[in-house]
Amino acid sequence: MATAATAPQDGISDTPEAVVVRFAGDSGDGMQLTGGQFTLSTALAGNDLATFPDFPAEIRAPTGTLFGVSAFQINFGSREINTAGDAPDVLVAMNPAALKVNIAALKPGGLVIADTGAFTKRNLDKAHYDSNPLEDGSLAKFDLLAFDISEKTIEAVKPYGLGNKDALRSKNMWTLGLALWLFDRDRAPIHDWLKNKFRRAPDIADANIAALDAGHAYGETAELSGPLKQLHMPPVPSEPGLYRTVTGAEAVSLGLVAGAQLAELPMFFGGYPITPASAILHHLARLKEFGVTTFQAEDEIAAICAAIGASYAGSLGVTSSSGPGIALKTEAMGLAIMTELPLVIVNSQRGGPSTGLPTKTEQSDLYQAVYGRNGDAPMPVIAARSPSDSFECAIEACRIAVQYMTPVMLLTDGYIANAAEPWKVPDPATFTPFPAEFLTEPRGEQLLPYKRNAVGARPWIKPGTPGMMHRIGGIEKHEETGNIDYSPDNHQRMTDLRKAKIETIPVPDQELALGEPGGTLAVVGWGSTYGPILQAVRRSIAKGRKVAHIHVRHIWPLPANLGELLRGFDHVLVPEMNTGQFKTVLRDQYLVDARPLTKTSGQPFQIAELEAAIEKYFDGIESNEGGVVPVNEQQLPNLESGHDDGSQPDAPFHGDGAALPGTGNPNKAVNQ
């Protein structure tokens, strides 16, 4: 999430406030790892940052093909950063395919760093180049730095006895070393990381360190004229405290653990692998010392049912998935609502329906979250706006689940889950505990397991508590005794009670993220649209436009003052990465003429797209507001890169040039 300050048109030799760098290469070139370590070094340098990892769904597309390109974009600077940037200032292209599918996004005057060693006739043919773009003048409007990274990497690791094939696996480290020099970054933390990662293979660690240092030394000693100039980015002013980089998946995991601790409960997590939610299971599995039990079930249904069972037994049950898995969990969500047990469900949204776009982002599960269960089955829904915000949202989900004895859905998406940003680690003492209470003896002469307290929550009873035997399950219960009772009047009352319990949950009043109350236009967002909306509104206000940004965390129930706030504006625009789902909720609840601005390309909004949409409310042209954002060919995968449509043979998982026509693994494997 970060917005790019415009770099000087003659390159990046001056000191801009922010710079956007995109690393791009083949899926086996280690671009995500390179970007991740560059992110670490940037955070340690004190810059604000936001990242956007972007990779194909194919587990291993044929090497050098356009649809196999993997990219990692980072926006960093000496000011507040909210998005990963609209367009890169620097493009590092490890092969012709990476150059071809990313060059359209590069700013005019931007810097291209290319590995000439990969621009062979074979690779140029795979990328559908008729001539070598490094030599034919087609990159004239950019600064170009082209040299043989492959050869220099092989030379750097030669003392470690690696063959050419193994040596070339270190060229991402050579490139990272050059990037560290280019932006005046310290190599020591990367040295330490490599030593730890390859502690059982010290020769591999040493080879990678040698490649890293060689890339850094090249920038330091080559004395190249033209585009290669070192840029020192001053640290961003920030409050004192402990900071770390955090992805959305990490922040959710830490927030869930913190929520369980504040509730004074052990936590049980039942999950099943699915992109992009799997990382939550991976992170929680490393936190057993905090009373966390993780269980990888045989399927999504077993995962949520196990979590419900854990809640019944007195733990905080948690499960997570993405859209297709959430669909499988739906019946069990109804069970949790009927039994009125605390449960947290994390939905890391991706492009749908069905398998859809496994590695691309979308916000199209809002209807599913708010309405998507059989019967009247109300459930609180919370949406995180950024990776770091996911921490507090996870705590809030745990609090509501425990205090109101209800399942709660927490919405993130692929952008939030995979992206990283700096996070000031909060003081645990600033969070108010909400210890769970268990009923250990009847309140009166008879046990009434469904008799509600002041907030409408039924008591939580651990099984096996002496004298507290009671019925529980999915069939309708008597409103107090819990005995089976599906008589008409009882079902009416229970339906009303469950509905009232959720609708009367107090949530904080809605505040403006930016701007003043009342005016021409309110831009209303939720989830990961926060960063680009904030920056677009900020730019529009600077032009004198009367526009404000409202960003909603509590999707259901909605803040009590939201309707009044919206009615203070002449127009309401709702940008969403779906076909207008939250717009429909706002229209239904407040009878306001909310207009949608939709994008379902699998890519997040760019600031420029939103800025242009806002401007339509001030251009004097009637009825041109809202609508669908046109496809942006600069975002991946663009029309040039395409995708693996099944006509290409798949390469082995660790393959390289073996993926020739008619060879490779015929059993296609897709990241589900």
Side-chain angles (χ1 to χ4, degrees), residues 614-637:
I614 291 171
E615 193 61 27
K616 290 181 179 180
Y617 285 86
F618 302 92
D619 61 6
I621 301 174
E622 293 289 336
S623 302
N624 68 332
E625 299 89 356
V628 179
V629 174
V631 173
N632 187 336
E633 296 183 10
Q634 296 178 355
Q635 294 185 306
L636 293 178

Side-chain angles (χ1 to χ4, degrees), residues 454-490:
V455 300
R458 78 170 186 89
W460 196 355
I461 304 171
K462 288 185 181 180
T465 303
M468 304 296 286
M469 186 181 296
H470 63 285
R471 290 181 175 85
I472 193 167
I475 297 180
E476 186 64 280
K477 304 292 183 295
H478 184 272
E479 62 177 315
E480 290 190 345
T481 66
N483 294 330
I484 294 173
D485 187 343
Y486 49 89
S487 60
D489 59 337
N490 182 74

Side-chain angles (χ1 to χ4, degrees), residues 71-91:
F72 186 102
Q73 183 161 308
I74 176 172
N75 184 12
F76 60 97
S78 55
R79 59 162 174 78
E80 180 186 0
I81 300 295
N82 300 107
T83 79
D86 281 6
D89 302 292
V90 179
L91 171 62

Side-chain angles (χ1 to χ4, degrees), residues 434-458:
F434 42 89
E437 296 181 3
F438 294 95
L439 188 64
T440 57
E441 59 184 21
R443 294 170 181 165
E445 296 182 359
Q446 181 183 7
L447 174 62
L448 300 174
Y450 277 82
K451 185 175 179 61
R452 300 172 190 278
N453 62 15
V455 300
R458 78 170 186 89

Side-chain angles (χ1 to χ4, degrees), residues 162-214:
L162 299 180
N164 285 0
K165 181 178 178 180
D166 290 333
L168 287 175
R169 290 174 178 165
S170 297
K171 72 176 183 178
N172 63 329
M173 286 295 105
W174 196 102
T175 306
L176 176 60
L178 178 63
L180 294 178
W181 175 85
L182 185 60
F183 295 103
D184 195 19
R185 299 282 184 257
D186 185 8
R187 286 168 289 157
I190 314 301
H191 287 176
D192 294 340
W193 176 80
L194 285 167
K195 290 175 183 177
N196 181 63
K197 180 176 178 62
F198 296 108
R199 58 186 178 276
R200 296 180 181 177
D203 289 347
I204 300 298
D206 291 342
N208 279 285
I209 290 171
L212 182 85
D213 291 345

Side-chain angles (χ1 to χ4, degrees), residues 43 46 237-244 422-427:
S238 57
E239 298 177 359
L242 175 65
Y243 288 81
R244 59 160 292 183
W423 176 50
K424 183 181 179 183
V425 179
D427 181 355

